[in-house]
Amino acid sequence: MTDEPQPAADPDLPPYAPAAPDAKDWTWVLTERCGECGFAGTDVPGPDVAGTIHDLVPRWRAALNRRDARVRPRPDVWSPLEYGAHVRDVHRVFDERLRLMLEQDDPQFANWDQDATAVAERYDLQEPGRVADELADAAAVLAARFAAVRADQWERPGRRSNGSVFTVTTLGGYFLHDVVHHLHDVGA
């Protein structure tokens, strides 16, 4: 959430309408190519994840600087701004997950409800330029953590509450798919 004052709720506007929730289990992208965005979790070797994170930031900046950054293509689909705020938060969530994997043995990740976060944080009211800066900052932090992974740490495990198991390597591929897929979603 930003520290800047947010506009007061306008009684003439409907409450924030979340996008259609995504309940898919996307772990299949760890072994298969995504038919929508073309990315597979195996496209980027673990040691190259940090550089790829840096390489994707300019594309997000461009999407968030577009005049239509606040416009939803359909009422049930996020705008580029909402996707950008989500991707910023994805960087933060995955930084915490990676930290846990490097510091603990087989940690279980806390659940994260991306849709509830979008509503609670009012992604639609955030400032696109600030979101771009925050996304870049979060990307730099996560990239630095991936860059610091030692050769003997790439196979360390961690898991989601639903039982999906990741290694540091597959966590990187899964994360990158999310970022790339949402660039596809916003046409960037």
Side-chain angles (χ1 to χ4, degrees), residues 1 8 22 48 61 66 101 136 142 153 164 166:
M1 189 168 222
D22 182 358
D48 294 339
R61 281 198 182 278
R66 294 190 331 218
M101 292 175 80
L142 180 57
Q153 294 177 310
S164 296
F166 294 88

Side-chain angles (χ1 to χ4, degrees), residues 2-186:
T2 65
D3 341 56
E4 293 180 10
Q6 296 298 313
D10 183 334
D12 296 326
L13 293 176
Y16 180 61
D22 182 358
K24 292 181 192 172
D25 179 354
W26 288 90
T27 54
W28 57 268
V29 301
L30 295 174
T31 58
E32 298 175 40
R33 186 157 308 283
C34 180
E36 293 176 43
C37 72
F39 188 87
T42 56
D43 284 349
V44 179
D48 294 339
V49 169
T52 304
I53 292 171
H54 285 299
D55 292 346
L56 295 173
V57 170
R59 292 174 62 190
W60 276 107
R61 281 198 182 278
L64 290 164
N65 283 321
R66 294 190 331 218
R67 287 183 177 203
D68 70 344
R70 294 182 180 275
V71 178
R72 284 185 171 188
R74 295 191 329 253
D76 63 336
V77 174
W78 278 343
S79 67
L81 169 60
E82 291 166 295
Y83 274 119
H86 166 70
V87 168
R88 172 204 59 208
D89 291 349
V90 166
H91 281 80
R92 293 170 175 168
V93 167
F94 276 75
D95 181 57
E96 173 61 13
R97 290 178 177 179
L98 178 57
R99 183 191 67 76
L100 289 171
M101 292 175 80
L102 296 174
E103 294 176 0
Q104 297 178 15
D105 290 329
D106 194 22
Q108 181 172 330
F109 308 136
N111 289 328
W112 179 53
D113 186 331
Q114 65 187 21
D115 300 306
T117 302
V119 172
E121 299 292 323
R122 288 306 304 254
Y123 283 175
D124 63 318
L125 297 179
Q126 295 186 24
E127 173 58 41
R130 183 172 182 141
V131 169
D133 290 344
E134 291 170 348
L135 189 156
D137 291 345
V141 169
L142 180 57
R145 194 172 308 275
F146 269 110
V149 172
R150 297 186 319 260
D152 65 331
Q153 294 177 310
W154 287 104
E155 296 307 309
R156 289 184 61 84
R159 57 197 156 81
R160 292 193 316 204
S161 61
N162 70 355
S164 296
V165 176
F166 294 88
T167 64
V168 170
T169 300
T170 61
L171 185 80
Y174 185 75
F175 160 79
L176 287 174
H177 172 260
D178 199 72
V179 177
V180 169
H181 193 95
H182 292 320
L183 282 166
H184 169 77
D185 288 333
V186 301

